[in-house]
Amino acid sequence: MDEFVIKGGNKLSGSISVNGAKNSALKILAASILSKEKCKITNFPIIEDTLRTVELLESLGAKAVIDKENKIVEIDPSQINKTDLDTNLVRRLRSSILFAGPMLARFGEVQMDHPGGCIIGKRPVDFFLDGFEKLGAKIKFTEEGFKLHGKLKGATIFFPQITVTGTEAMMMAAVLAEGKTILQNCAMEPEIPVLAEYLNKCGAKISGAGTSTIEIEGVKEIGGGEFKVIPDRIETGTFVMMGLLTGSEIKVENCIPEHLGAVISILEKAGAKLEIGPDYIITKPSKLKAVSIVTHEYPGFVTDLQPPYTLLMTQADGPCIIHESIFEGRLFFTDQLATMGAEIIMCDPHRVVVHGPTPLHGKKMTSPDLRAGITLVLAGMIAEGTTRIENIYQVDRGYEKIEERLQKIGADIKRVKE
Ligand code: EPU
């Protein structure tokens, strides 16, 4: 297994470009199942999660052509001839649950294991199963997962809690259901309206995506289409915090600052000097003071940026509370920051108190999940001495060739093959 070896203390300079959003590309790949025609995706992030999802499509009989250099993937879903999803891939990918709706809608059945993925909380699938049942599917539980079958009919579904992939899954399933579906208490993340826009271009009838109520008028079939993946707002925020952590002036390019409203306002409140353009953010060396946060569904402070923000607060002046309201396992990585010298006290699984500023020292650590993993990389970049990070598959799941991109702006980071 590869590891990252990082020597801390370097100032960064220059520009870093943001790639296509993982959490948008994954949904378009799943949506491709709804049609018999080809789907072309550009600005496609070449990362473990998207590549494994393409493999999952191929394992069902779809044809895929990936042009890694130009970041284009073309899916031909016309030959899909299986409805049970590959156990190994499903166990690796939480987002494989997104295949259930389109498979059910197009083929009337799907069988899969309980999906795996990031260990950041319980991550059940009850909202999905309840939603599919409301749309008319029958559920049979198997030893390791479940089987869904039946012809889908429009229904009204109220999500008991806001769920991003739950909203997307029901929206996709309803596209081919008979009649009208109304989804209430929907997630509003930017990846949802762009998914709806793509599906509408292919012939679906969806309105309201990006608000809390979405209406879908079922159609008999949809065609193929082309989709350009939007910039990754989580990569954007991570790079901005990296600039602030290292006290560097860097330009984070090809992003949509508008998608990070809450994060930018908190960073500015903490004293961050940012120059914000239409598609870039420039960080300036800034003296930071501590500001507490509560993570929240969009447009609130996104949970995926809680780990790097927690690290940032170890370098800010004063105490603050980080309240992770979405996932109950997403603060445990702070133990590793504490071993590096951070002053962090866990109140309960959802809250830690951080008291900065504290110098950090290099350590040998293991990346527990994707967003905590990249945070440990950033911690290594500001720590005194050498940091080694194992289990970097977790970082590769979401950040493409991260070491090469960080080296280009001045970081001392190497991938070492064991
Ligand atoms: N939940 C349930 N039952 C369900 C579904 C969700 O109880 O059936 C709970 C979850 O346990 C959680 C809450 O509802 O407490 C909200 O979770 P949500 O369903 O919104 O999360 P998700 O759709 O599984 C997506 C992203 C995550 C991101 C969250 C929150 C994708 C593929 N994943 O997950 O991204 O953290 O929304 O914004 O879009 C990441 O990229 O690192 C990542 C984890």
Side-chain angles (χ1 to χ4, degrees):
M1 291 269 263
D2 297 359
E3 59 177 36
F4 285 139
V5 178
I6 305 161
K7 288 209 177 86
N10 284 14
K11 277 257 184 294
L12 310 177
S13 63
S15 308
I16 185 160
S17 181
V18 172
N19 286 346
K22 164 177 87 78
N23 288 347
S24 180
L26 291 175
K27 322 304 165 63
I28 306 295
L29 289 173
S32 73
I33 298 171
L34 284 167
S35 171
K36 291 192 189 96
E37 293 175 16
K38 281 186 186 163
C39 163
K40 180 176 177 184
I41 311 176
T42 60
N43 197 31
F44 185 80
I46 310 291
I47 48 180
E48 290 296 329
D49 270 18
T50 55
L51 297 176
R52 296 295 83 78
T53 304
V54 171
E55 268 175 34
L56 189 57
L57 279 168
E58 287 176 318
S59 72
L60 294 171
K63 298 270 169 291
V65 180
I66 306 179
D67 173 353
K68 287 192 179 171
E69 207 172 311
N70 295 303
K71 297 179 184 286
I72 298 173
V73 61
E74 250 186 39
I75 306 293
D76 176 357
S78 60
Q79 304 300 314
I80 293 180
N81 54 11
K82 270 178 76 182
T83 53
D84 52 331
L85 305 190
D86 181 89
T87 300
N88 288 330
L89 289 166
V90 165
R91 287 195 183 154
R92 260 165 115 162
L93 288 166
R94 159 87 186 168
S95 56
S96 56
I97 186 71
L98 283 161
F99 276 41
M103 292 296 293
L104 192 54
R106 182 167 152 205
F107 300 102
E109 62 173 39
V110 62
Q111 181 168 341
M112 64 186 288
D113 282 19
H114 189 90
C118 256
I119 309 161
I120 54 179
K122 293 195 288 285
R123 309 195 83 184
V125 291
D126 50 335
F127 301 160
F128 294 83
L129 298 183
D130 291 352
F132 292 136
E133 216 168 18
K134 282 232 167 72
L135 290 173
K138 300 268 176 295
I139 306 172
K140 200 172 140 221
F141 289 96
T142 57
E143 216 166 291
E144 299 291 341
F146 45 88
K147 184 174 179 172
L148 304 168
H149 69 99
K151 192 167 159 27
L152 302 186
K153 275 211 163 115
T156 296
I157 299 171
F158 186 96
F159 294 106
Q161 191 180 331
I162 294 176
T163 161
V164 177
T165 42
T167 300
E168 292 161 333
M170 293 316 130
M171 190 168 90
M172 287 193 278
V175 162
L176 299 183
E178 191 189 315
K180 187 179 192 164
T181 297
I182 302 175
L183 306 177
Q184 291 165 332
N185 197 28
C186 295
M188 301 191 281
E189 272 64 6
E191 293 75 25
I192 297 172
V194 296
L195 171 62
E197 219 174 280
Y198 169 74
L199 289 169
N200 283 344
K201 269 203 292 189
C202 298
K205 290 191 178 152
I206 303 170
S207 59
T211 74
S212 62
T213 304
I214 301 178
E215 289 194 11
I216 304 115
E217 195 65 63
V219 294
K220 285 225 153 53
E221 58 179 16
I222 62 168
E226 189 168 330
F227 179 81
K228 183 173 181 204
V229 181
I230 55 170
D232 195 312
R233 62 199 163 96
I234 310 306
E235 239 193 36
T236 308
T238 306
F239 293 158
V240 167
M241 292 189 210
M242 175 173 74
L244 295 169
L245 276 161
T246 54
S248 309
E249 175 160 333
I250 58 168
K251 185 175 186 186
V252 181
E253 291 181 319
N254 295 326
C255 59
I256 304 180
E258 216 177 290
H259 288 168
L260 281 176
V263 173
I264 290 172
S265 95
I266 291 278
L267 290 176
E268 287 180 336
K269 193 169 167 200
K273 292 188 202 133
L274 303 174
E275 184 186 322
I276 299 166
D279 62 354
Y280 65 85
I281 302 175
I282 298 173
T283 63
K284 308 270 164 103
S286 316
K287 187 160 170 26
L288 299 178
K289 67 174 186 338
V291 174
S292 298
I293 56 157
V294 183
T295 60
H296 197 279
E297 294 86 7
Y298 193 82
F301 194 106
V302 57
T303 164
D304 297 339
L305 286 174
Q306 171 273 112
Y309 183 79
T310 302
L311 170 65
L312 189 66
M313 287 300 101
T314 69
Q315 304 307 305
D317 195 26
C320 67
I321 297 182
I322 307 292
H323 184 162
E324 168 55 63
S325 73
I326 314 277
F327 293 113
E328 64 280 6
R330 225 174 196 177
L331 281 171
F332 293 130
F333 84 99
T334 57
D335 273 2
Q336 304 206 53
L337 295 183
T339 65
M340 297 178 85
E343 209 178 293
I344 300 182
I345 297 168
M346 183 164 275
C347 314
D348 59 57
H350 282 284
R351 289 173 310 152
V352 292
V353 174
V354 183
H355 203 149
T358 44
L360 302 182
H361 347 278
K363 279 268 169 201
K364 184 167 179 169
M365 293 180 293
T366 300
S367 170
D369 65 67
L370 168 59
R371 308 300 173 190
I374 191 73
T375 300
L376 296 181
V377 170
L378 302 189
M381 286 166 63
I382 58 163
E384 198 190 298
T386 303
T387 294
R388 303 180 86 89
I389 302 174
E390 294 177 331
N391 195 26
I392 60 173
Y393 175 79
Q394 286 297 336
V395 179
D396 293 334
R397 282 185 43 219
Y399 298 87
E400 186 178 335
K401 294 187 181 153
I402 191 68
E403 72 283 12
E404 292 177 19
R405 293 156 78 200
L406 298 183
Q407 281 158 9
K408 278 195 189 126
I409 54 169
D412 188 340
I413 173 169
K414 279 201 236 35
R415 179 184 294 262
V416 177
K417 304 220 180 258
E418 276 197 349

